[in-house]
């Protein structure tokens, strides 16, 4: 599942890219998870009745 | 009646924040990725090559050496191996400055003659003519291939240079290369450029070059 790191030069993204979907899952998690936070914080603001700009 | 959105999905601020987050993070990731890959795409120095330090792009002085490929079981594909000194147009003592100038002349000629409108170089270019990425390793240019005899030359580099200067005179393929008016100096520089390009560690790309008999594992 996780393959050995065989690149000529060690690099952060090369380290993540170690098997099927490993880099993709990392990047999507990084981008999508905070969007849940944005969603729920905006929901709270709306429920409190704060005007939408 | 109070007019305010009841759903987050219709909130302008939510979409603005989300778009800002996704765009910002993606931009930062791309910048980071560029920095992260600098080591992979930087050309090594002559001293580092002599010291056998790992590198993907060998210095221009690689033209003084034999270039071959060997299968690396750990990486799962062929990797370049820079061997002993090998004469290139009768010399194997090109200084870094001389070799740099030769490669630069070769690159400029390749661009000026628009080789990529037919040939592919490192994955870019046309598919009408053979891929030139590892052309230097092609056994067709070796003693066992037809080109040396056809051009009446004794070495691989001379055969390639002579062919390039008058390609339409040699029966090679139904699609013959046109006469591009390449001079002797330009031809020599292009061959140096091709030899250097063949030494670049391209992660086993193009996929079928390893099947070149004699080009790979040719000690």
């Amino acid at each position: 599942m996780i393959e050995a790191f065989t690149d000529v030069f060690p690099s952060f993204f090369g380290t993540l890219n170690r098997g099927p979907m490993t880099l993709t899952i990392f990047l999507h998690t990084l981008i999508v998870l905070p969007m849940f936070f944005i969603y729920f914080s905006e929901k709270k603001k709306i429920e409190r009745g704060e005007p939408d700009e | 009646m109070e007019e305010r959105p009841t759903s987050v999905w219709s909130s302008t601020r939510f979409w603005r924040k989300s778009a800002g987050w996704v765009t910002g993070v993606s931009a930062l990731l791309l910048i980071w990725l560029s920095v992260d890959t600098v080591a992979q795409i930087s050309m090594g120095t002559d001293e580092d090559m002599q010291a056998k330090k790992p590198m993907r792009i060998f210095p221009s002085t690689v033209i003084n050496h034999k270039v071959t490929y060997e299968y690396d079981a750990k990486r799962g594909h062929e990797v370049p191996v820079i061997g002993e000194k090998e004469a290139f147009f009768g010399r194997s003592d090109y200084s870094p400055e001389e070799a740099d100038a030769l490669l630069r002349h070769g690159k400029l000629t390749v661009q000026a003659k628009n080789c990529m409108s037919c040939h592919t170089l490192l994955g870019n270019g046309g598919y009408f003519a053979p891929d030139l990425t590892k052309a230097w390793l092609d056994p067709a240019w070796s003693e066992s291939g037809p080109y040396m005899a056809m051009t009446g030359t004794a070495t691989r580099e001379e055969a390639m240079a002579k062919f390039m200067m008058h390609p339409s005179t040699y029966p090679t393929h139904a699609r013959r290369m046109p006469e591009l008016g390449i001079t002797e100096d330009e031809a020599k520089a292009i061959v140096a450029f091709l030899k250097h390009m063949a030494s670049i560690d391209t992660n086993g790309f193009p996929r079928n070059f390893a099947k070149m008999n004699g080009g790979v594992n040719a000690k």
Side-chain angles (χ1 to χ4, degrees):
Chain A
M1 186 67 192
I2 302 295
E3 290 156 23
F5 185 79
T6 56
D7 216 335
V8 179
F9 294 98
S11 64
F12 177 75
F13 288 100
T15 310
L16 283 177
N17 194 19
R18 294 270 294 277
M21 303 283 287
T22 49
L23 183 59
T24 306
I25 289 168
F26 172 81
L27 293 177
H28 279 82
T29 308
L30 182 73
I31 289 170
V32 172
L33 276 188
M35 286 179 71
F36 282 95
F37 171 78
I38 295 174
Y39 177 88
F40 287 110
S41 69
E42 286 303 311
K43 196 173 182 178
K44 269 182 202 156
K45 282 179 189 169
I46 287 167
E47 281 165 359
R48 279 204 301 268
E50 284 181 32
D52 181 30
E53 307 205 287
Chain B
M1 273 294 285
E2 193 179 30
E3 280 203 27
R4 64 168 200 242
T6 50
S7 162
V8 178
W9 303 112
S10 57
S11 153
T12 310
R13 200 169 49 206
F14 166 73
W15 289 110
R16 190 167 288 165
K17 275 188 181 176
S18 301
W21 168 256
V22 174
T23 313
V25 169
S26 305
L28 287 175
L29 279 173
L30 283 174
I31 292 167
W32 186 6
L33 187 62
S34 304
V35 175
D36 204 40
T37 47
V38 163
Q40 317 267 0
I41 59 169
S42 302
M43 190 189 262
T45 63
D46 191 45
E47 294 82 56
D48 287 351
M49 182 175 73
Q50 304 303 338
K52 305 244 177 244
K53 285 193 183 163
M55 60 181 82
R56 278 188 180 278
I57 306 178
F58 293 92
S60 54
T61 44
V62 77
I63 60 171
N64 291 325
H65 293 265
K66 188 171 175 57
V67 175
T68 181
Y69 274 74
E70 280 173 31
Y71 185 74
D72 184 323
K74 201 175 156 205
R75 289 180 65 190
H77 53 73
E78 281 70 21
V79 296
V81 177
I82 308 307
E84 71 275 18
K85 288 259 184 178
E86 176 188 69
F88 184 74
F89 289 104
R91 286 178 58 193
S92 61
D93 59 349
Y94 290 90
S95 69
E97 292 76 26
E98 279 179 307
D100 278 349
L102 202 57
L103 247 64
R104 182 174 158 73
H105 190 197
K107 187 185 83 170
L108 291 176
T109 310
V110 163
Q111 289 170 342
K113 302 293 178 185
N114 203 7
C115 303
M116 280 163 77
S117 69
C118 293
H119 293 281
T120 301
L121 287 84
L122 294 167
N124 296 312
Y127 295 95
F128 188 73
D131 189 320
L132 295 183
T133 311
K134 307 289 178 193
W136 171 261
L137 307 168
D138 194 331
W141 301 101
S142 70
E143 284 91 348
S144 56
Y147 291 111
M148 273 194 202
M150 210 187 277
T151 53
T153 50
T155 64
R156 179 182 291 248
E157 58 272 22
E158 282 165 351
M160 289 174 104
K162 204 166 173 193
F163 173 83
M164 257 184 270
M165 285 154 67
H166 301 290
S168 66
T169 54
Y170 302 107
T172 50
H173 190 271
R175 297 189 294 220
R176 289 202 194 167
M177 183 169 151
E179 295 284 332
L180 297 167
I182 295 172
T183 66
E184 198 174 344
D185 280 350
E186 286 171 344
K188 190 179 165 184
I190 293 174
V191 179
F193 179 74
L194 290 178
K195 183 172 183 179
H196 175 261
M197 187 162 59
S199 74
I200 296 175
D201 187 343
T202 49
N203 281 344
F205 178 87
R207 203 63 190 143
N208 60 350
F209 91 89
K211 294 194 180 78
M212 286 179 177
N213 244 338
V216 176
N217 293 322
K219 287 203 168 167

